[in-house]
Amino acid sequence: MTQPPTNAAEATGLLLAAGGGRRLGGRPKALLPHRDRPLVENAVRVLREGGCRTVYVVLGAAAEEVRARADLAGCVLIDNPDWAEGMGSSLRAGLEALTASDEASGAALVSLVDQPGIGPEAVARVLSAHRSGDSLAAASYDGKRGHPVLFGADRWADIAASATGDRGARAYLKAHEAEITLVECGDIAEPYDIDTEADLGRLQ
């Protein structure tokens, strides 16, 4: 198992798992089969093994079915009724839940449910860039920014305010590009998405 960074207790995993799989014939991504279990379980495991103290999971499409079929014990589950608006609404819902929590940590490590090529090693590397409530870090692959992304708590309100449509935090990250610590992960992870029927071959 990956050795968690020393400041892992200060970071919460925020898993965006609300997508409806429009290009997959309407199959919710959280429920896609991976290693004989729903894909969302793999994503939660990766965050935990990478060093996240707690994992918040934002659900949307088929939320009740996901709750019934996936083992998400110990996770904080957040329902996003506006999931069809895109990733931005799920990021907002997750950050708002973290902000309202009495157990809010110093940073959120945001990952996407449909990136099974990103494992605990990449999570641990990005977590190691956490320095303060103002931290802003992201995994990079051959120099290109990707997920997971780490947001210090001091940035949550501004990120949530800018998260719209299917762009998530892209507008915020572009505006603060000079402040991002890029953590190269291309040697230990593959940042592909499961978006289309052809991509399903990447699932085991």
Side-chain angles (χ1 to χ4, degrees):
M1 183 182 295
T2 303
Q3 200 65 20
T6 55
N7 59 352
E10 301 175 17
T12 298
L14 178 55
L15 177 62
L16 306 186
R22 178 175 50 83
R23 286 182 285 173
L24 290 165
R27 282 176 284 176
K29 291 187 175 183
L31 291 173
L32 292 174
H34 182 53
R35 297 173 183 169
D36 298 319
R37 296 298 305 164
L39 187 56
V40 66
E41 290 184 13
N42 173 74
V44 168
R45 175 190 61 80
V46 165
L47 287 170
R48 285 177 171 157
E49 291 184 5
C52 291
R53 175 185 67 175
T54 306
V55 177
Y56 280 53
V57 182
V58 182
L59 302 176
E64 288 307 311
E65 188 178 357
V66 175
R67 288 172 181 267
R69 289 177 51 192
D71 180 2
L72 300 175
C75 295
V76 178
L77 304 182
I78 303 155
D79 285 316
N80 174 20
D82 302 319
W83 64 268
E85 295 179 5
M87 190 192 307
S89 66
S90 290
L91 180 58
R92 283 199 311 274
L95 291 175
E96 287 167 2
L98 277 171
T99 301
S101 171
D102 292 334
E103 301 177 357
S105 63
L109 193 286
V110 180
S111 68
L112 309 180
V113 74
D114 67 339
Q115 294 190 319
I118 298 176
E121 297 82 6
V123 169
R125 275 195 191 176
V126 176
L127 283 180
S128 70
H130 180 206
R131 297 288 182 269
S132 68
D134 194 47
S135 289
L136 186 61
S140 65
Y141 301 89
D142 295 327
K144 183 178 180 181
R145 189 182 75 241
H147 284 87
V149 182
L150 183 136
F151 299 131
D154 293 351
R155 296 181 181 268
W156 293 351
D158 288 343
I159 292 168
S162 70
T164 58
D166 204 34
R167 295 180 57 81
R170 271 182 261 173
Y172 183 89
L173 291 171
K174 184 175 181 180
H176 296 267
E177 192 167 4
E179 301 163 42
I180 302 172
T181 298
L182 291 179
V183 183
E184 182 57 46
C185 293
D187 59 322
I188 54 172
E190 295 181 81
Y192 58 82
D193 302 315
I194 305 298
D195 280 335
T196 67
E197 293 282 346
D199 297 330
L200 293 175
R202 292 180 177 271
L203 297 176
Q204 302 173 9

